[in-house]
Coordinates of all heavy atoms in Angstrom, one line a residue:
A236 N 9.7 11.2 12.6 CA 9.9 10.0 11.7 C 9.2 8.8 12.3 O 8.9 7.8 11.5 CB 11.4 9.7 11.5
I237 N 8.9 8.7 13.6 CA 8.3 7.5 14.2 C 6.9 7.3 13.8 O 6.5 6.3 13.2 CB 8.5 7.5 15.7 CG1 9.9 7.6 16.1 CG2 7.7 6.3 16.4 CD1 10.2 7.9 17.6
P238 N 6.0 8.3 14.0 CA 4.6 8.1 13.5 C 4.5 8.1 12.0 O 3.6 7.4 11.4 CB 3.8 9.3 14.1 CG 4.8 10.4 14.4 CD 6.1 9.6 14.8
T239 N 5.4 8.9 11.3 CA 5.3 8.8 9.9 C 5.7 7.4 9.3 O 5.1 6.9 8.4 CB 6.3 9.9 9.3 OG1 6.0 11.1 9.9 CG2 6.1 10.1 7.8
G240 N 6.8 6.9 10.0 CA 7.2 5.5 9.6 C 6.1 4.5 9.8 O 5.9 3.5 9.1
T241 N 5.3 4.7 10.9 CA 4.2 3.8 11.2 C 3.2 3.8 10.1 O 2.7 2.8 9.6 CB 3.5 4.3 12.5 OG1 4.4 4.2 13.6 CG2 2.3 3.4 12.9
K242 N 2.9 5.0 9.6 CA 1.9 5.1 8.5 C 2.5 4.4 7.2 O 1.8 3.7 6.5 CB 1.6 6.6 8.2 CG 1.0 7.3 9.3 CD 0.5 8.7 9.0 CE -0.7 8.7 8.1 NZ -1.9 8.2 8.7
I243 N 3.8 4.7 6.9 CA 4.3 4.1 5.7 C 4.2 2.5 5.8 O 3.8 1.9 4.8 CB 5.8 4.5 5.6 CG1 5.9 6.0 5.3 CG2 6.5 3.7 4.4 CD1 5.4 6.5 4.0
F244 N 4.7 1.9 6.9 CA 4.7 0.5 7.1 C 3.2 -0.1 7.0 O 3.0 -1.2 6.5 CB 5.4 0.1 8.3 CG 6.9 0.2 8.2 CD1 7.6 1.0 9.1 CD2 7.6 -0.5 7.2 CE1 9.0 1.1 8.9 CE2 9.0 -0.4 7.1 CZ 9.7 0.4 7.9
N245 N 2.3 0.6 7.6 CA 0.9 0.2 7.6 C 0.3 0.2 6.2 O -0.4 -0.7 5.8 CB 0.0 1.0 8.6 CG 0.3 0.6 10.0 OD1 1.1 -0.3 10.3 ND2 -0.4 1.3 10.9
W246 N 0.7 1.3 5.4 CA 0.2 1.3 4.0 C 0.8 0.2 3.2 O 0.1 -0.5 2.5 CB 0.6 2.6 3.4 CG -0.3 3.8 3.7 CD1 -1.6 3.7 4.0 CD2 0.1 5.2 3.9 NE1 -2.1 5.0 4.2 CE2 -1.1 5.9 4.2 CE3 1.3 5.8 3.8 CZ2 -1.0 7.3 4.4 CZ3 1.3 7.2 4.0 CH2 0.2 7.9 4.3
L247 N 2.1 -0.1 3.5 CA 2.7 -1.2 2.7 C 2.1 -2.5 3.2 O 2.0 -3.5 2.3 CB 4.3 -1.2 3.0 CG 5.0 0.0 2.3 CD1 6.5 0.0 2.7 CD2 4.9 0.0 0.8
G248 N 1.8 -2.7 4.4 CA 1.1 -3.9 4.9 C -0.2 -4.1 4.2 O -0.6 -5.2 3.8
T249 N -0.9 -3.0 4.1 CA -2.2 -3.1 3.4 C -2.0 -3.5 1.9 O -2.7 -4.3 1.3 CB -2.9 -1.7 3.4 OG1 -3.0 -1.2 4.8 CG2 -4.4 -1.8 2.9
Y250 N -1.0 -2.9 1.3 CA -0.7 -3.1 -0.1 C -0.3 -4.6 -0.3 O -0.8 -5.3 -1.3 CB 0.5 -2.2 -0.5 CG 1.2 -2.7 -1.8 CD1 0.6 -2.5 -3.0 CD2 2.5 -3.2 -1.7 CE1 1.3 -2.9 -4.2 CE2 3.1 -3.6 -2.8 CZ 2.5 -3.5 -4.1 OH 3.2 -3.9 -5.2
M251 N 0.5 -5.2 0.6 CA 0.9 -6.6 0.4 C -0.2 -7.5 0.6 O -0.1 -8.7 0.1 CB 2.1 -6.9 1.4 CG 3.4 -6.2 1.1 SD 4.8 -6.7 2.1 CE 4.4 -6.0 3.6
A252 N -1.3 -7.1 1.3 CA -2.4 -8.0 1.5 C -3.4 -7.9 0.3 O -4.5 -8.5 0.4 CB -3.1 -7.7 2.8
S253 N -3.1 -7.2 -0.7 CA -4.1 -6.9 -1.8 C -4.1 -8.1 -2.8 O -3.2 -8.9 -2.9 CB -3.7 -5.6 -2.5 OG -2.5 -5.8 -3.2
D254 N -5.2 -8.1 -3.5 CA -5.5 -9.1 -4.6 C -5.0 -8.5 -5.9 O -5.3 -7.4 -6.2 CB -7.0 -9.4 -4.6 CG -7.3 -10.4 -5.7 OD1 -6.3 -10.9 -6.3 OD2 -8.4 -10.7 -5.9
Y255 N -4.2 -9.2 -6.6 CA -3.6 -8.7 -7.9 C -4.7 -8.3 -8.9 O -4.4 -7.4 -9.7 CB -2.7 -9.8 -8.5 CG -1.4 -9.9 -7.8 CD1 -1.2 -10.8 -6.7 CD2 -0.3 -9.2 -8.3 CE1 0.0 -10.9 -6.1 CE2 0.9 -9.3 -7.6 CZ 1.1 -10.1 -6.6 OH 2.3 -10.2 -5.9
T256 N -5.8 -8.9 -8.8 CA -6.9 -8.5 -9.8 C -7.5 -7.2 -9.6 O -8.2 -6.7 -10.4 CB -7.9 -9.6 -9.8 OG1 -8.5 -9.7 -8.5 CG2 -7.4 -11.0 -10.2
T257 N -7.3 -6.6 -8.4 CA -8.1 -5.4 -8.1 C -7.2 -4.1 -8.4 O -7.7 -3.0 -8.1 CB -8.5 -5.4 -6.6 OG1 -7.3 -5.4 -5.8 CG2 -9.4 -6.5 -6.3
R258 N -6.0 -4.3 -8.8 CA -5.2 -3.1 -8.9 C -5.5 -2.3 -10.2 O -5.5 -2.9 -11.3 CB -3.7 -3.5 -8.9 CG -3.3 -4.2 -7.6 CD -1.9 -4.6 -7.6 NE -1.5 -5.3 -6.4 CZ -0.4 -5.9 -6.1 NH1 0.5 -6.0 -7.1 NH2 -0.1 -6.4 -5.0
N259 N -5.6 -1.0 -10.1 CA -5.8 -0.2 -11.3 C -4.9 1.0 -11.1 O -4.1 1.1 -10.2 CB -7.2 0.2 -11.6 CG -7.7 1.3 -10.6 OD1 -7.0 1.7 -9.7 ND2 -8.9 1.7 -10.9
I260 N -5.0 2.0 -12.0 CA -4.0 3.1 -12.1 C -4.0 3.9 -10.8 O -2.9 4.3 -10.4 CB -4.3 4.0 -13.3 CG1 -3.2 5.0 -13.6 CG2 -5.7 4.6 -13.2 CD1 -1.9 4.3 -13.8
D261 N -5.1 4.1 -10.2 CA -5.2 4.9 -9.0 C -4.4 4.2 -7.9 O -3.8 4.8 -7.0 CB -6.6 5.2 -8.6 CG -6.7 6.3 -7.6 OD1 -5.8 7.2 -7.7 OD2 -7.6 6.4 -6.8
F262 N -4.5 2.8 -7.9 CA -3.8 2.1 -6.9 C -2.3 2.3 -7.0 O -1.6 2.5 -6.0 CB -4.1 0.6 -7.1 CG -3.5 -0.3 -6.0 CD1 -4.2 -0.6 -4.9 CD2 -2.2 -0.9 -6.2 CE1 -3.7 -1.5 -3.9 CE2 -1.7 -1.7 -5.3 CZ -2.4 -2.0 -4.1
W263 N -1.8 2.3 -8.3 CA -0.4 2.5 -8.5 C 0.0 4.0 -8.2 O 1.1 4.3 -7.7 CB 0.0 2.2 -9.9 CG -0.2 0.7 -10.2 CD1 -1.0 0.1 -11.0 CD2 0.6 -0.3 -9.6 NE1 -0.9 -1.2 -11.0 CE2 0.1 -1.5 -10.1 CE3 1.6 -0.4 -8.6 CZ2 0.6 -2.8 -9.7 CZ3 2.1 -1.6 -8.3 CH2 1.6 -2.8 -8.8
A264 N -0.9 4.9 -8.4 CA -0.7 6.3 -8.0 C -0.5 6.4 -6.5 O 0.4 7.1 -6.0 CB -1.8 7.2 -8.4

């Protein structure tokens, strides 16, 4: 769960830094 949790939080960190105008359906997938 430790390395897996690292990946989850890093993905969410990347997501939170995103620009709202660039999101499309694959982003939500």
Side-chain angles (χ1 to χ4, degrees):
I237 299 169
T239 311
T241 301
K242 297 186 75 65
I243 296 289
F244 285 120
N245 285 358
W246 281 325
L247 291 176
T249 311
Y250 162 74
M251 287 189 290
S253 67
D254 181 3
Y255 283 87
T256 59
T257 61
R258 296 177 180 173
N259 76 354
I260 187 62
D261 200 30
F262 186 91
W263 294 114

